[in-house]
Amino acid sequence: MIELTDVHKAFGNNHVLRGVNLTVESGTSMVIIGGSGTGKSVALKSILGLVTPDSGKITLDGKDVTTGDRDAFLARFGMLFQGGALFDSLPVWQNVAFRLLRGSLARPREEAREVAIEKLRRVGLKPDVADKFPAELSGGMQKRVGLARAIAAEPEIIFFDEPTTGLDPIMAGVINDLIREIVVEMGATAMTITHDMTSVRAIADNIAMLHDGVIKWTGPVADMDNSGDPYLDQFIHGRAEGPIEAVR
Ligand SMILES: Nc1ncnc2c1ncn2[C@@H]1O[C@H](COP(=O)(O)OP(=O)(O)O)[C@@H](O)[C@H]1O
Ligand SMILES: [Mg+2]
């Protein structure tokens, strides 16, 4: 469904993506792992068109993502941004219903609010959270609100950028389980970025490891432990020694 072919992207002389090839099948959950600063977020943003690759091709259902109606394209996606990216000045329900209050997906305000409350409930938050502001919530609750926003318009494809970073292990486990449940129940295609190996095992059908601007290894999560790939082994076991230089 989503295919990246020989995607390159540099910022000045920082060559971040150096020929990324990756296929994500419809209805599956792909997790991208890799050290910080390797270009995981840039890769996701390239699919959405928030970053323009220098060369290469990205297709969704065989069609180039840079062609066609932009609003219709984006309406198929939900995204949980790294760091949450909630709007501080909007109450929680308007954050969750953001896409439902404007553009091609716009619905009457009351209806949008009801959807927001239903999605908040889906991620384990009570209706009284709807009228609070993001700053009044804990980190874990903010992540849940971000998750509720990502699923509010029932997208076919959901991107999760570091969904558990900054959370304690128990809250991270709750978010991982929620992501897995939601993806299965919605039949959505998911792409998740994480360096939390617990998250990988909880969420992934397939994994891809990004290093030195390319996908070093990709395959089913079940094959991860016996891949024979020194880069992947070093990463999943968190070893200081190996082909990946620890000093960057
Ligand atoms: N808009 C931008 N302008 C300049 N450099 C950027 C931009 N976005 C990302 N980068 C650089 O690209 C590299 C990869 O970033 P990123 O994809 O965010 O890494 P990560 O794998 O941690 O998500 C980093 O060196 C970062 O500084
Ligand atoms: Mg990132």
Side-chain angles (χ1 to χ4, degrees):
M1 173 187 225
I2 301 171
E3 193 160 30
L4 286 80
T5 312
D6 200 23
V7 173
H8 288 253
K9 178 68 188 178
F11 297 100
N13 48 23
N14 181 11
H15 294 263
V16 180
L17 306 181
R18 298 164 177 244
V20 170
N21 293 298
L22 185 68
T23 304
V24 184
E25 302 290 345
S26 191
T28 66
S29 172
M30 170 65 81
V31 171
I32 302 185
I33 60 173
S36 39
T38 51
K40 303 180 301 298
S41 294
V42 168
L44 269 200
K45 287 176 185 168
S46 299
I47 299 171
L48 292 174
L50 301 175
V51 162
T52 310
D54 300 326
S55 63
K57 196 170 172 190
I58 304 178
T59 59
L60 173 63
D61 296 334
K63 284 192 214 85
D64 195 310
V65 295
T66 55
T67 61
D69 179 45
R70 189 91 197 116
D71 200 39
F73 172 78
L74 288 175
R76 300 177 65 181
F77 289 87
M79 171 126 188
L80 174 61
F81 286 94
Q82 183 172 359
L86 299 177
F87 299 103
D88 298 339
S89 59
L90 297 178
V92 164
W93 82 266
Q94 288 181 33
N95 266 284
V96 174
F98 195 80
R99 295 290 324 261
L100 306 176
L101 292 167
R102 43 186 69 68
S104 61
L105 301 172
R107 304 192 199 178
R109 208 172 158 81
E110 259 320 293
E111 200 181 308
R113 187 182 156 88
E114 275 167 32
V115 172
I117 288 172
E118 175 204 321
K119 298 303 174 192
L120 286 169
R121 189 174 287 122
R122 181 66 196 83
V123 299
L125 294 173
K126 296 204 180 78
D128 68 314
V129 172
D131 296 309
K132 292 194 192 306
F133 284 88
E136 298 176 78
L137 308 179
S138 68
M141 287 167 92
Q142 289 181 7
K143 283 280 187 199
R144 289 182 198 228
V145 172
L147 189 51
R149 179 173 66 186
I151 62 170
E154 303 192 354
E156 287 166 66
I157 308 148
I158 320 181
F159 288 172
F160 303 100
D161 195 349
E162 304 210 2
T164 60
T165 300
L167 300 181
D168 68 62
I170 295 172
M171 186 51 65
V174 169
I175 297 289
N176 287 335
D177 290 350
L178 262 177
I179 288 177
R180 185 76 219 171
E181 277 170 35
I182 287 169
V183 166
V184 168
E185 141 194 325
M186 291 173 61
T189 304
M191 276 181 88
T192 306
I193 292 173
T194 186
H195 29 226
D196 167 1
M197 292 313 297
T198 314
S199 223
V200 172
R201 292 178 200 278
I203 297 173
D205 293 319
N206 297 296
I207 68 166
M209 177 165 181
L210 187 61
H211 184 72
D212 282 343
V214 297
I215 300 295
K216 285 274 185 207
W217 188 87
T218 183
V221 68
D223 294 352
M224 178 172 75
D225 293 309
N226 301 303
S227 69
D229 183 279
Y231 290 88
L232 183 63
D233 276 346
Q234 185 185 355
F235 192 85
I236 63 185
H237 296 111
R239 291 194 204 105
E241 297 294 315
I244 303 172
E245 295 215 18
V247 181
R248 258 167 291 165

